[in-house]
Amino acid sequence: GAVVSQHPSRVICKSGTSVKIECRSLDFQATTMFWYRQFPKQSLMLMATSNEGSKATYEQGVEKDKFLINHASLTLSTLTVTSAHPEDSSFYICSARDERIGAFFGQGTRLTVV
Amino acid sequence: GENVEQHPSTLSVQEGDSAVIKCTYSDSASNYFPWYKQELGKGPQLIIDIRSNVGEKKDQRIAVTLNKTAKHFSLHITETQPEDSAVYFCAARLSGGSYIPTFGRGTSLIVHP
């Protein structure tokens, strides 16, 4: 199947700093990418949807100034958690979609803010 | 919007037994139903999917059934193995528009050797 690479898999940062997470579609072009947040033992919560070259669409309750999403190319989207706080600690997962073959998830990023 | 209910939340079986996870959806316009397996600390992986024009689909030890009238679909795993232990999510997607699936809450499957 199609491969979506997400990096880093784990990151620990100090409170107040920013963290960037990358999501790459390795063998297909992703017209749309999705960013999810997952709390322990819970389902995936959609944070935002991004289309290449346009601004991301954020779900209700998600702060767009805190979670910056850039989808600069058909194979790369980034999520930057700005001024991170301990409550931002979570598992973040991206998903990349090609209209012909479907959507596939990255491996996830475990963010811990200390 | 779409609402997906998934049961059970946890399922414990003995190796070799079958496991069944059930989901219901609310919007009859949904036409695509994927199932994902998520191992600890990893992203979900698509394991099987079914479209609304098909009633059943099978891939080796896993199968999915769909009842459009009742708006429910199920995942069946036969001859379970310890490596099947994971969290399984069902999802439903509305027809048309962008691909934004609605996920169930997940089922933690534990296969005891």
Side-chain angles (χ1 to χ4, degrees):
Chain A
V3 178
V4 176
S5 178
Q6 184 176 342
H7 291 281
S9 59
R10 292 176 180 270
V11 58
I12 300 174
C13 70
K14 291 185 177 181
S15 186
T17 62
S18 295
V19 174
K20 180 183 284 188
I21 303 170
E22 289 190 351
C23 181
R24 292 180 184 272
S25 56
L26 297 186
D27 50 4
F28 67 99
Q29 292 185 327
T31 51
T32 308
M33 287 192 174
F34 306 88
W35 287 94
Y36 294 87
R37 183 173 181 176
Q38 187 178 34
F39 293 101
K41 298 185 178 180
Q42 293 193 25
S43 192
L44 293 81
M45 181 189 77
L46 180 65
M47 298 175 66
T49 303
S50 72
N51 294 294
E52 184 262 339
S54 62
K55 290 184 178 180
T57 301
Y58 290 80
E59 296 299 299
Q60 191 173 8
V62 179
E63 299 177 61
K64 61 181 180 181
D65 293 331
K66 181 168 187 63
F67 299 100
L68 301 179
I69 292 172
N70 183 283
H71 192 166
S73 75
L74 285 172
T75 60
L76 174 65
S77 177
T78 60
L79 167 67
T80 301
V81 183
T82 63
S83 187
H85 291 285
E87 56 265 31
D88 298 325
S89 299
S90 192
F91 193 56
Y92 293 88
I93 308 171
C94 72
S95 174
R97 176 199 176 202
D98 177 286
E99 292 186 10
R100 298 168 297 131
I101 62 176
F104 300 87
F105 287 93
Q107 304 96 314
T109 297
R110 171 72 60 194
L111 171 63
T112 304
V113 184
V114 298
Chain B
E2 177 64 278
N3 181 48
V4 176
E5 297 286 338
Q6 182 173 347
H7 299 280
S9 57
T10 59
L11 180 58
S12 183
V13 300
Q14 288 295 128
E15 183 177 2
D17 289 350
S18 295
V20 180
I21 303 170
K22 298 181 179 181
C23 288
T24 60
Y25 61 99
S26 61
D27 194 325
S28 56
S30 290
N31 65 353
Y32 177 66
F33 308 92
W35 285 89
Y36 296 91
K37 175 183 180 182
Q38 185 178 25
E39 296 177 341
L40 189 64
K42 297 183 179 180
Q45 295 296 312
L46 178 69
I47 55 172
I48 195 168
D49 56 14
I50 191 168
R51 298 185 185 275
S52 60
N53 59 347
V54 176
E56 182 175 359
K57 185 176 179 180
K58 189 173 183 180
D59 183 4
Q60 299 182 334
R61 295 188 298 108
I62 59 173
V64 57
T65 59
L66 171 65
N67 183 327
K68 288 176 57 180
T69 302
K71 293 203 285 280
H72 66 70
F73 55 112
S74 301
L75 177 71
H76 304 253
I77 306 174
T78 59
E79 301 174 24
T80 54
Q81 301 167 2
E83 50 265 39
D84 294 331
S85 297
V87 177
Y88 292 81
F89 290 98
C90 65
R93 187 192 77 178
L94 291 172
S95 60
S98 58
Y99 182 100
I100 302 180
T102 300
F103 290 91
R105 297 181 66 86
T107 296
S108 177
L109 173 64
I110 302 170
V111 180
H112 299 281

